[in-house]
């Protein structure tokens, strides 16, 4: 397994509010688009397509664990490129909270050779930055 993680971000929203936002997978559109095309989702799953190295790849995720207010995990649905567990780790902190996104991925050797770790890290960092922006704008619920 390869572990890829973002830095920890400080958000000025209560942990419960961030958890509620992230636990409803339909809300993920807000930080996955515009890179995620044809997004559809509900509380426990979402689907979309992304461009990777000139190829359109389907992504399907379903909710794994939901531990209020500290953890939301996603695992691949029926259409998967590789096994992995995406973790949104939330830590209450004063009036706000801390957020770190981590992906534990079983990357195939060919994907590793093609630089998949850097691409995944960039995607996680982008999602974290967008979540921070949504929190600053008061758009997390």
């Amino acid at each position: 397994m390869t572990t890829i993680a973002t830095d920890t971000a400080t958000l000025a929203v209560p942990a419960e509010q961030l958890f509620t936002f992230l636990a409803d997978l339909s809300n993920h559109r807000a930080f996955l688009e515009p890179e995620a095309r044809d997004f559809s989702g509900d509380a426990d799953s979402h689907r979309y397509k992304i461009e990777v190295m000139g190829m359109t790849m389907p992504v399907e995720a379903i909710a794994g664990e939901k531990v209020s207010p500290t953890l939301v995990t996603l695992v691949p649905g029926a259409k998967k490129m590789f096994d992995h567990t995406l973790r949104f780790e939330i830590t209450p902190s004063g009036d706000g909270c801390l957020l770190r996104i981590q992906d534990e991925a079983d990357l195939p050797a060919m994907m590793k050779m093609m630089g998949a770790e850097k691409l995944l890290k960039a995607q996680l960092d982008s999602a974290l930055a967008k979540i921070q922006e949504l929190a600053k704008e008061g758009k997390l619920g």
Side-chain angles (χ1 to χ4, degrees):
M1 278 293 192
T2 301
T3 300
I4 304 161
T6 64
D7 291 334
T8 300
T10 301
L11 304 175
V13 297
E16 294 80 7
Q17 182 180 355
L18 179 60
F19 173 83
T20 299
F21 176 81
L22 293 172
D24 181 343
L25 274 56
S26 68
N27 291 330
H28 292 204
R29 171 191 307 265
F31 62 85
L32 292 173
E33 288 184 336
E35 292 83 6
R37 296 190 329 241
D38 301 329
F39 185 98
S40 65
D42 57 37
D44 292 315
S45 67
H46 59 54
R47 291 160 279 318
Y48 57 91
K49 296 176 185 167
I50 57 170
E51 283 286 321
V52 179
M53 298 178 176
M55 298 180 295
T56 300
M57 309 288 278
V59 177
E60 185 177 311
I62 58 174
E65 254 185 304
K66 293 181 182 180
V67 181
S68 180
T70 60
L71 179 67
V72 175
T73 67
L74 279 66
V75 295
K79 296 179 183 177
K80 64 181 177 181
M81 293 182 271
F82 51 87
D83 284 325
H84 70 107
T85 301
L86 183 64
R87 301 170 54 89
F88 294 89
E89 300 169 343
I90 305 164
T91 305
S93 177
D95 292 337
C97 64
L98 306 175
L99 173 63
R100 184 173 84 135
I101 306 172
Q102 177 178 299
D103 202 351
E104 295 172 358
D106 188 13
L107 294 172
M110 182 60 91
M111 288 184 78
K112 283 185 178 184
M113 288 174 31
M114 295 173 67
E117 290 175 61
K118 288 182 183 177
L119 289 172
L120 286 170
K121 174 76 166 117
Q123 288 176 341
L124 296 181
D125 288 342
S126 174
L128 183 63
K130 289 179 182 177
I131 292 168
Q132 285 179 288
E133 187 177 312
L134 291 167
K136 284 180 187 171
E137 295 171 354
K139 295 182 178 176
L140 292 181

